[in-house]
Amino acid sequence: MMAETKLKNFNKDMEEGPYILLYPDGSEVINIPGTQMPFTLKDYKTEIGKQYSRINLFICRQKDFIEQVLSSESDSEVVITRKTDESSLADTLPIIPQHTSTPQDRMNSKIDSTVEPSQGSGQGHVEEIMLSDSEDDRPGTSAHVATQNWCYRKYMEVYAPVTTEEDDELLITAHGLDLPVPIEEQNSVTAPDIILNLALVIDRKSVSRFNITRSNVWDGAVRGFKRVSYSEFNDIFVKFSDDAGLLEEGLDTGGPRRELLTLLMSCLQNRPIFDGPPYRRYLVYNSVAVREDEYFLAGKMIAVSIVHGGPGPHFLSKDLVNHIVGQPSFSATLEDVTDEGVVKVLREIQIATTLESLQELILKNSTLLQTAGCFRCMKSIEEKHRIVEEYVRWYVMDRNHSVIKRFKDGLATLQFLTALKQHPSVLASYLCHTDKKLTASDLESLFKAELSPVGSKQRQEESKTLCFWSDYLLDCEGLLFSLTNNVMFSVNFRNL
């Protein structure tokens, strides 16, 4: 089932099913609470009046659930109390769900409704469950799990939200559950949320070490990624050495890691496995890189960098990204073709004015066109544009199919490729170049002033300085707006 598959992607030690779905009160999901309607996520959302992101359902093995039910009939007593002051268990009550979809005869077999108050410890097994005063004011995910009954608290794991881009009606039956746990649907999702979700599998207590020289970042990174002890599930620990070979002192608290990943993405852009314009790079076949499996390594580096909190490449062609996620969109032009001889032939075909001249060009360059499967008899002059488009697609994508596949295998590291296919429009900004104008507000938000106490004379002077700083940024923004894109403008903040 899809639910088990997605859950096992996060928990490799997950036991085999079958699994059943439970409401937060511990009852099995069969019908909409208080009705005889079969459960669907859409109807359940309407019934309880919550957003998808506020809906929590839990999953556990059917075998464990049945064993706990049978155990509760014989010697288990489950009670519930609210967290107040020091008090005994005299005010405890048995758990009786207010809204249950499970038939009453089955509920009677699960919960002993005639539990008598216990006056001390040691008189039978008592499981205390702490609840908040409001269902909507529950604690976070981990705290909420801690409040659940032992039956499903032991066998379930609550992961980060799994979001969908469509509010599809999803039918859930008692025997087939195709959802991960907890089921949380959102109408919109952001890239940071997705990355944080993927990063949950990283073990922050284990590290993979990288020894890097800034003069040759690529070589050190490759050694680190190919080391036998390396694992993408471990945190990254980086030590830089200077040109004299001396290790730089200092503890890696995230800065060296981000520096490495930033430098690595910059090196990757100029590797021979990529071709095309600087900010629209696509993969190209290279026999040496194939032999060294560099395509897989490049994809893995990109996935690791993004999930571990580093930057994305920001130079991949949108056509390449669309091809990777299975979208048919393609907009490459002759500018993406770097072979000057090929460009010359295609331009001649493109500017042909008569059918006769076009047919002559097709015959003259038949070998070139046959390689791409574009050679055919022309019946109209309008077909020239189709010929050029087909050749460009073959040149950019089809002839590099094998290395693109290997690159995708690398991107699958840490489930990044899966997330990219689910949310291509959201995560594409990590891979493709986007032109974003730097504004004074953006730059000002990067700094946080440390001010003196309110009312002091120093605070007044600092307020004036902040005002001058804001004016300076606005003046710079106006100057940059008037300059062309080819002019570089730098600011030395140390002289402010």
Side-chain angles (χ1 to χ4, degrees), residues 188-202:
S188 62
V189 61
T190 63
D193 293 335
I194 300 172
I195 301 305
L196 287 175
N197 186 20
L198 297 177
L200 292 176
V201 298
I202 299 175

Side-chain angles (χ1 to χ4, degrees), residues 262-307:
T262 301
L263 294 174
L264 183 58
M265 292 298 102
S266 179
C267 291
L268 194 60
Q269 183 176 8
N270 299 317
R271 296 300 299 171
I273 64 174
F274 290 104
D275 197 5
Y279 294 105
R280 296 199 310 273
R281 307 282 277 174
Y282 55 86
L283 292 167
V284 64
Y285 186 91
N286 183 287
S287 59
V288 177
V290 170
R291 185 168 61 250
E292 296 179 357
D293 205 13
E294 188 172 327
Y295 295 93
F296 174 83
L297 187 61
K300 185 174 184 178
M301 287 176 174
I302 291 173
V304 168
S305 177
I306 295 174
V307 177

Side-chain angles (χ1 to χ4, degrees), residues 139-167:
T141 303
S142 59
H144 185 58
V145 175
T147 67
Q148 305 306 314
N149 189 287
W150 177 89
C151 167
Y152 54 97
R153 181 175 60 201
K154 181 176 180 180
Y155 293 100
M156 73 183 177
E157 278 290 341
V158 180
Y159 299 104
V162 177
T163 60
T164 59
E165 296 178 339
E166 299 179 0
D167 293 338

Side-chain angles (χ1 to χ4, degrees), residues 73-176:
E73 292 180 351
S74 58
D75 58 356
S76 294
E77 180 181 33
V78 181
V79 296
I80 181 171
T81 182
R82 295 194 178 276
K83 187 175 181 180
T84 56
D85 54 356
E86 296 283 337
S87 60
S88 66
L89 295 177
D91 60 346
T92 58
L93 296 172
I95 296 180
I96 302 179
Q98 298 178 356
H99 305 287
T100 177
S101 65
T102 308
Q104 188 61 36
D105 58 340
R106 294 179 63 181
M107 283 302 303
N108 291 338
S109 67
K110 299 177 185 178
I111 303 175
D112 184 3
S113 60
T114 61
V115 175
E116 296 181 358
S118 174
Q119 296 294 336
S121 60
Q123 298 183 11
H125 174 70
V126 176
E127 183 74 22
E128 181 177 349
I129 304 177
M130 313 306 296
L131 297 179
S132 64
D133 293 333
S134 172
E135 183 179 359
D136 289 333
D137 294 327
R138 287 176 178 166
T141 303
S142 59
H144 185 58
V145 175
T147 67
Q148 305 306 314
N149 189 287
W150 177 89
C151 167
Y152 54 97
R153 181 175 60 201
K154 181 176 180 180
Y155 293 100
M156 73 183 177
E157 278 290 341
V158 180
Y159 299 104
V162 177
T163 60
T164 59
E165 296 178 339
E166 299 179 0
D167 293 338
D168 296 332
E169 179 175 347
L170 187 56
L171 178 63
I172 305 177
T173 66
H175 304 288

Side-chain angles (χ1 to χ4, degrees), residues 158-323:
V158 180
Y159 299 104
V162 177
T163 60
T164 59
E165 296 178 339
E166 299 179 0
D167 293 338
D168 296 332
E169 179 175 347
L170 187 56
L171 178 63
I172 305 177
T173 66
H175 304 288
L177 306 173
D178 292 336
L179 289 175
V181 227
I183 303 171
E184 298 186 13
E185 300 261 346
Q186 298 181 354
N187 292 328
S188 62
V189 61
T190 63
D193 293 335
I194 300 172
I195 301 305
L196 287 175
N197 186 20
L198 297 177
L200 292 176
V201 298
I202 299 175
D203 183 4
R204 301 299 180 182
K205 297 181 180 179
S206 301
V207 296
S208 295
R209 297 179 178 270
F210 287 77
N211 297 313
I212 304 296
T213 302
R214 288 186 177 89
S215 60
N216 195 351
V217 173
W218 177 259
D219 183 63
V222 170
R223 291 199 313 271
F225 275 98
K226 290 187 175 181
R227 189 170 291 118
V228 176
S229 60
Y230 172 79
S231 172
E232 60 269 21
F233 297 102
N234 294 343
D235 208 350
I236 297 176
F237 185 89
V238 180
K239 280 188 177 181
F240 282 100
S241 61
D242 56 20
D243 293 338
L246 300 176
L247 290 177
E248 294 182 355
E249 296 182 357
L251 180 64
D252 185 356
T253 57
R257 180 185 69 243
R258 288 188 292 270
E259 182 181 357
L260 167 63
L261 297 176
T262 301
L263 294 174
L264 183 58
M265 292 298 102
S266 179
C267 291
L268 194 60
Q269 183 176 8
N270 299 317
R271 296 300 299 171
I273 64 174
F274 290 104
D275 197 5
Y279 294 105
R280 296 199 310 273
R281 307 282 277 174
Y282 55 86
L283 292 167
V284 64
Y285 186 91
N286 183 287
S287 59
V288 177
V290 170
R291 185 168 61 250
E292 296 179 357
D293 205 13
E294 188 172 327
Y295 295 93
F296 174 83
L297 187 61
K300 185 174 184 178
M301 287 176 174
I302 291 173
V304 168
S305 177
I306 295 174
V307 177
H308 279 260
H314 297 295
F315 61 78
L316 296 184
S317 165
K318 293 182 179 180
D319 294 317
L320 175 59
V321 175
N322 288 334
H323 182 81

